[in-house]
């Protein structure tokens, strides 16, 4: 094989196109399901309108941003970079839009299908999830392979695709994350606490906003996040492959990613269950599908590598196979650790419930569990790095780490499906409640929802772990681009860069947490106003104005999203252009280390508090209404912005900062101050 | 001047000896004050017995540890290193013992003096603080100069002095920190919450343990912490000075430290106030004294440098003068930022109170303030590093950063005095309450105590900032010792080292937080037992068994102290000897970055929650007993282990890890795995 022989790249492109065809067929199938009775349709269409409204307003802001950056890149850099950036932004936004379009239609269909059977409900909800999962990986690989072929393998141009995807991801994660938690907290504070009406009660003016939030945060936001990881890991691996000893290896990331798409498709066929399945059986179904996909990737990769041995030689080919396997294993391990720390069948989360004799001790225990839960994922990533560098050999260098990242993310088509399935099931439960479906339907949607909570936690762990590997690989690509592979410890900029970089995630987390509080406050005021000014809401004589709450959530979350996002983009540019590329390398290192830790801590503390509450609600420690439960409700509320806003946003922060650095590495010179 | 001309070192030794004489005279003066009436003496002697008992038990454990390490070092390394280690441990423990011996006697004398006047109370309490401050700096400089002269300027032997001091510091901070918060929380939970008796009520069996805790945590623990920073910064600067272009500069750290002791002594003479002074006037008094000392150091240093110009040349001499000034300014700035974020006269803390409409929002806001409060100290340290490296010039390298650290710490004699004054004033208030002194006396001790809370917060910020500069300088010395001044980014061990290093402070913080919870639980059980089994406590007919509570606090805090402390010592040794010195360098960097951030966040969030509660207690948001107040009490309790156990322990964690690395750098080779 020659470097300019793109036959294998064309094959990956073909798989991506097949993936898109699968997505379209699956969409037809899911949308063909029965959408329930008139009440259900009405509720669903309110959620659809809200979600569409949010995305429209969000994309309007993003369009301005993307237009400005595209023009700037066109004027200051090459047109190819500008085009890649634009395509990355558009495909990421497109995948997010598609996933959400289906999710807000699958929710009501899941509720309707659950009236028939649990299995039917599972199939609809998981089908919607796999549309999101498959469109993310397919859009990504199609965009990347097209650009790679178009620019004749000049990966530096393709890098901007990742920048475009990252920008969309950051705005989507931060904006969606603020929306979802502000609506959730706002709805609960007035509805549950002040008016004493249950969750998902249609009398609550913020109830639709709350359901919209699940979709914009957990579907669109999560999708954009992982679109970025998937694309970023391929870009980093290809960049490093081209400068490694065997530039032919640059094709490997595309092959592994393509094979992963096939494996994920096959794995998802396994998702079906018995009618009397309990939560454990449901979870086992999804786990089996994920493990099967991982196994298939390893198998396919072995085949591909055997086929490539004439180019790479057996020794090197098998080394890379092991690297891919290391990535797969590490990804599954991190998911498993996350589940361990956040599931209420396990000791850590039960310990939080046990500490609920006072609110303060429950908060302390939750924070401690969050901090502790960082230990094993960090060790896993560290061991994976050492192992892939050792197995890959010194010639491959950081290419091996990047390839392990591609391996970890290769099964994304199915891991993301299990993740994006959650909000659909959650919404289905809400719709079942609001439209007064019978208890047994609600029981089924509850079972599906509860499964979704577990997969959401696992998905978050996976998102963080893969973000770290991607960011490290992108940073290595940046370093190799700038040529500063040796760091001078005595340089006057490295240490300060590290410290300031380490600080950014703390600042970012603080900023996004308080943004949730401010947005929730505006929703609280609107909900209170409606209860005061619209008579007859409580007596169900008059409908609340759902749209007003959605509009306020949209406005305030989009307003709060802008500043932190711009800071994330500006920080590496300012440091790089003023202090020089070495200071920037330090900044990235510091941000990756502290961002990783803080993201794991926040996501897991939030998940564990949430489930500690659920554990108490099963009747432990006095059950619902007890003092333990009251303490757990406080913990859950503290955890909301932790796990759904700040924590996940940090994944993107570290990836975005590294890819911005990589894109602009060439233009930095030695910085204005020339301190290096 | 010749390198082996130790005349200036002898001068520094002389200043240290004068400092010890001052300490002894001051002790005589403070102990000569009236110790109050019989009730007061009785309470005070219970506190004295408790504190002495804790230290005795703690030192017994430490003695075993120190003996084992000394013997091991004697057998495996040079006798000089073993001797230095022993001396470091003994002087650190000695300074802590002395400071605490005086503090538990000055408390009752402060209460008695406050019966006469505010000024008299302030003089006694501050006198006690300056004994702690001066004995720390004097013991340190005497120990260091003696060893330096004895070993003929071979600084590598002297390094172990810092290791000895660090070990004592870690155990003292962790053990004392757990004791103080466990006793505090335990006393409050049963006394205030279950029995409804006020704070410092003599009927509470844990009240003496609570007062003992203030001393073992905030006097002995803080003293040992800063003893280590002071010694460590001098060791690092001297080590780096000897390998820098002008080895004569190695004498500068001793000179600056010695001049600082003189300046601190002169500054402390300014501490007196008008009788009608309010809190602001009291604070102004202490600030004036600190600023005056800082100014004097700059002045004296200018004189010393003018005198040294024949050795260094004007240009270089003045560069170093600026470096010292940079350190002084940075230290004062960090203290000021800490005050800004934690004082209830400022916006951040008031914002926490404002968020108290629900407990969850108050917790979120406090965490956000803590995270935000890391921004400015990090930027200050980063700018101080860039500035000192730039001003110091490329030949001096990291020596400049170390010298800035020495400059920052030079006024420690007085900054530590204002800090160690706090617990004395706090205890004085408790004694005044328990012995039923008149209201106006209690008002005066309250004024002194409230001042102590502010200076304690500032002191914590200063302790963290100086710990970071010291740790960075020690790490630079370690790197220069191992010769790995260039870091290969593609090395298979650097990145994993950074990640694992960054994780250790999270693990350590989680571990110490939960230790407080466990220890508090055993005290709660003991207090409940006493109320149940000793009849007549509530009717004041029978005295509770104070000693039992002290004994339980002692036992459980010492038990909980051992594991985290051993991990802190073992981590760098295991990584260094197994993975090699480069992995260890990464580990140290990661730990310093995340330890710094976490320490600032935890200390300031804790301080801000505490003061948000106090702000509400002044009558804001409904005052005491309101829902806002209840929320703030929860925040304060969450903040207790943050600010008094985990946060401060992290300072020592990062210093101890770096100094252990420096001491054993020579013995590591390239690690067992030889991965570098």
């Amino acid at each position: 094989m020659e470097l300019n022989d793109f036959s294998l790249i064309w094959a990956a492109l073909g798989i991506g196109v097949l993936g898109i065809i699968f997505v379209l067929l699956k969409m037809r199938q899911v949308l063909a399901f029965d959408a329930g009775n008139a009440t259900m349709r009405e509720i669903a269409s309110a959620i659809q309108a809200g979600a569409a409204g949010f995305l429209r307003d969000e994309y309007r802001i993003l369009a301005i941003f993307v237009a400005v950056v595209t023009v700037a890149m066109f004027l200051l850099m090459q047109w190819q970079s500008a085009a890649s950036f634009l395509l990355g932004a558009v495909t990421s936004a497109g995948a997010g839009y598609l996933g959400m379009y289906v999710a807000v239609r699958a929710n009501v269909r899941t509720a309707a299908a659950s009236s028939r059977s649990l299995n039917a409900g599972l199939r609809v909800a998981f089908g919607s999830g796999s549309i999101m999962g498959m469109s993310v990986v397919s859009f990504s690989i199609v965009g990347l392979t097209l650009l790679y072929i178009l620019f004749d393998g000049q990966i530096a141009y393709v890098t901007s695709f990742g920048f475009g995807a990252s920008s969309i991801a950051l705005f989507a994660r931060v904006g969606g994350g603020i929306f979802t938690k502000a609506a959730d907290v706002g709805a609960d504070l007035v509805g549950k606490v002040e008016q004493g009406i249950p969750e998902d009660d249609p009398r609550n003016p913020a109830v639709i906003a709350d359901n919209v939030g699940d979709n914009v945060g957990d579907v669109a936001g999560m999708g954009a996040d992982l679109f970025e990881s998937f694309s970023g890991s391929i870009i980093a691996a290809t960049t490093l492959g081209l400068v490694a000893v065997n530039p032919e290896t640059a094709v490997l990331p595309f092959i592994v990613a393509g094979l992963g798409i096939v494996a994920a498709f096959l794995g998802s066929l396994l998702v079906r269950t018995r009618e009397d399945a309990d939560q454990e059986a449901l979870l086992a179904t999804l786990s089996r599908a994920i493990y099967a996909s991982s196994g298939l990737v390893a198998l396919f990769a072995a085949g591909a590598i055997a086929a490539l041995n004439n180019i790479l030689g057996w020794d090197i080919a098998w080394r890379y196979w092991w690297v891919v396997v290391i990535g797969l294993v590490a990804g599954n391990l991190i998911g498993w650790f996350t589940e361990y720390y956040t599931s209420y069948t396990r000791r850590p989360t039960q310990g939080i419930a046990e500490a609920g004799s006072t609110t303060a001790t429950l908060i302390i225990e939750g924070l401690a569990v969050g901090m502790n839960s960082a230990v094993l994922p960090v060790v896993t990533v560290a061991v994976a790095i050492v192992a892939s560098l050792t197995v890959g050999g010194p010639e491959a260098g950081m290419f091996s780490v990047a390839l392990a990242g591609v391996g970890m993310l290769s099964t994304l088509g199915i891991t993301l499906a299990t993740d994006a399935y959650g909000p659909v099931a959650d919404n289905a439960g809400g719709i079942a409640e609001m439209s007064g479906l019978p208890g047994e339907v609600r029981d089924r949607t509850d079972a599906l929802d509860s499964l979704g909570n577990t997969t959401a936690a696992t998905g978050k762990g996976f998102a963080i772990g893969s973000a770290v590997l991607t960011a490290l690989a992108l940073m290595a690509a940046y370093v190799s681009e700038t040529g500063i592979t040796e760091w001078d410890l005595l340089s006057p900029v490295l240490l300060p860069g590290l410290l300031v970089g380490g600080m950014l995630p703390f600042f970012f987390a603080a900023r996004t947490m308080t943004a949730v509080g401010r947005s929730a406050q505006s929703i609280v005021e609107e909900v209170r106003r409606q209860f005061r000014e619209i008579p007859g809401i409580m007596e169900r004589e008059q409908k609340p104005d759902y749209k007003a709450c959605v509009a306020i959530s949209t406005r305030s979350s989009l307003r709060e999203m802008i500043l932190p996002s711009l800071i994330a983009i500006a920080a590496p540019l300012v440091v790089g252009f003023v202090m020089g590329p070495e200071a920037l390398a330090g900044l990235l290192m510091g941000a990756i280390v502290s961002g990783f830790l803080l993201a794991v801590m926040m996501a897991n503390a939030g998940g564990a508090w949430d489930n500690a509450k659920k554990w108490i609600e099963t009747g432990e420690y006095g059950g619902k209404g007890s003092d333990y439960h009251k303490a757990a409700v406080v913990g859950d509320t503290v955890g909301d912005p932790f796990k759904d806003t700040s924590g996940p946003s940090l994944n993107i922060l570290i990836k975005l900062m590294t890819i911005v650095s990589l894109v602009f590495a060439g233009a930095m010179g030695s910085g204005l101050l020339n301190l290096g």
Side-chain angles (χ1 to χ4, degrees), chain A residues 343-362:
Chain A
S343 159
Y344 70 56
T345 60
R346 308 286 186 169
R347 187 63 217 140
T349 295
Q350 291 181 359
I352 295 177
E354 193 183 319
S357 60
T358 73
T359 308
T361 44
L362 181 129

Side-chain angles (χ1 to χ4, degrees), chain A residues 31-86:
Chain A
L31 296 179
F33 279 102
D34 170 34
N37 61 35
T39 321
M40 289 162 72
R41 282 162 200 260
E42 193 192 343
I43 296 166
S45 82
I47 297 176
Q48 285 152 22
F54 172 80
L55 275 199
R56 193 183 52 235
D57 290 355
E58 184 182 57
Y59 285 178
R60 199 174 289 153
I61 297 177
L62 294 192
I64 300 171
F65 170 80
V66 170
V68 169
V69 175
T70 307
V71 170
M73 289 179 81
F74 183 77
L75 295 176
L76 302 173
M77 306 173 74
Q78 291 81 3
W79 70 267
Q80 291 95 330
S81 298
S84 291
F85 172 82
L86 185 61

Side-chain angles (χ1 to χ4, degrees), chain A residues 18-33 98 102 106 109 122-135 265 268-272 417:
Chain A
L18 286 178
I20 292 176
I21 295 172
F22 165 81
V23 165
L24 296 174
L25 292 175
K26 195 81 190 172
M27 265 180 79
R28 241 178 92 165
Q29 185 194 353
V30 166
L31 296 179
F33 279 102
L98 199 70
V102 175
R109 289 168 174 82
L122 176 65
R123 300 290 292 273
V124 178
F126 186 77
S128 166
S130 44
I131 291 171
M132 175 90 250
M134 280 305 212
S135 56
F265 165 73
S268 67
L269 299 180
L270 292 174
V271 178
R272 60 187 70 208

Side-chain angles (χ1 to χ4, degrees), chain A residues 4 8 13 42 76 114 144 154 199 245 269 281 292 339 367 417 512 571 576 601 632 649 659 662:
Chain A
N4 49 3
L8 287 165
L13 173 57
E42 193 192 343
L76 302 173
S114 297
L144 286 171
Q154 295 190 64
E199 196 157 346
V245 161
L269 299 180
E339 198 253 317
L367 290 167
T512 46
M601 177 207 148
S649 304
I659 204 150
L662 179 57

Side-chain angles (χ1 to χ4, degrees), chain A residues 594-668:
Chain A
S594 90
F596 183 13
L597 287 157
L598 209 52
V600 175
M601 177 207 148
M602 295 184 91
N604 289 352
W609 272 317
D610 187 355
N611 283 326
K613 187 188 74 174
K614 296 213 167 90
W615 174 238
I616 292 172
E617 285 171 356
T618 66
E620 299 289 325
Y621 301 104
K624 238 177 174 163
S626 66
D627 282 348
Y628 278 81
H629 187 249
K630 283 187 192 123
V633 168
V634 174
D636 182 32
T637 313
V638 173
D640 270 341
F642 264 50
K643 72 177 195 301
D644 291 320
T645 314
S646 306
S649 304
L650 293 174
N651 303 345
I652 308 181
L653 177 72
I654 59 177
K655 286 182 292 180
L656 178 60
M657 282 173 57
T658 42
I659 204 150
V660 166
S661 309
L662 179 57
V663 168
F664 295 97
M668 280 169 198

Side-chain angles (χ1 to χ4, degrees), chain A residues 247-263:
Chain A
E248 300 82 8
T249 54
V251 80
L252 270 181
F254 290 103
I255 298 176
V256 173
L259 296 174
I261 296 178
V262 178

Side-chain angles (χ1 to χ4, degrees), chain A residues 4-223:
Chain A
N4 49 3
D5 169 10
F6 286 149
S7 53
L8 287 165
I9 305 286
W10 281 103
L13 173 57
I15 291 174
V17 171
L18 286 178
I20 292 176
I21 295 172
F22 165 81
V23 165
L24 296 174
L25 292 175
K26 195 81 190 172
M27 265 180 79
R28 241 178 92 165
Q29 185 194 353
V30 166
L31 296 179
F33 279 102
D34 170 34
N37 61 35
T39 321
M40 289 162 72
R41 282 162 200 260
E42 193 192 343
I43 296 166
S45 82
I47 297 176
Q48 285 152 22
F54 172 80
L55 275 199
R56 193 183 52 235
D57 290 355
E58 184 182 57
Y59 285 178
R60 199 174 289 153
I61 297 177
L62 294 192
I64 300 171
F65 170 80
V66 170
V68 169
V69 175
T70 307
V71 170
M73 289 179 81
F74 183 77
L75 295 176
L76 302 173
M77 306 173 74
Q78 291 81 3
W79 70 267
Q80 291 95 330
S81 298
S84 291
F85 172 82
L86 185 61
L87 186 66
V90 169
T91 42
S92 170
Y97 182 81
L98 199 70
M100 187 136 118
Y101 179 87
V102 175
V104 294
R105 283 163 180 80
N107 51 11
V108 65
R109 289 168 174 82
T110 301
S114 297
S115 311
R116 295 202 310 279
S117 77
L118 179 67
N119 214 349
L122 176 65
R123 300 290 292 273
V124 178
F126 186 77
S128 166
S130 44
I131 291 171
M132 175 90 250
M134 280 305 212
S135 56
V136 160
V137 293
S138 306
F139 280 34
S140 169
I141 200 129
V142 167
L144 286 171
T145 47
L146 276 180
L147 290 174
Y148 193 72
I149 294 166
L150 185 66
F151 300 146
D152 203 24
Q154 295 190 64
I155 189 72
Y157 293 139
V158 186
T159 307
S160 301
F161 183 87
F163 177 30
S166 271
S167 310
I168 298 297
L170 188 70
F171 285 107
R173 257 296 196 202
V174 175
I178 295 172
F179 185 114
T180 181
K181 286 304 121 179
D184 188 6
V185 172
D188 283 359
L189 279 185
V190 187
K192 276 201 227 172
V193 181
E194 293 181 13
Q195 303 285 341
I197 56 179
E199 196 157 346
D200 287 333
D201 191 299
R203 290 171 293 179
N204 191 329
V207 71
I208 296 293
D210 190 5
N211 277 280
V212 170
D214 292 340
N215 292 293
V216 300
D218 292 348
V219 180
M222 178 67 116

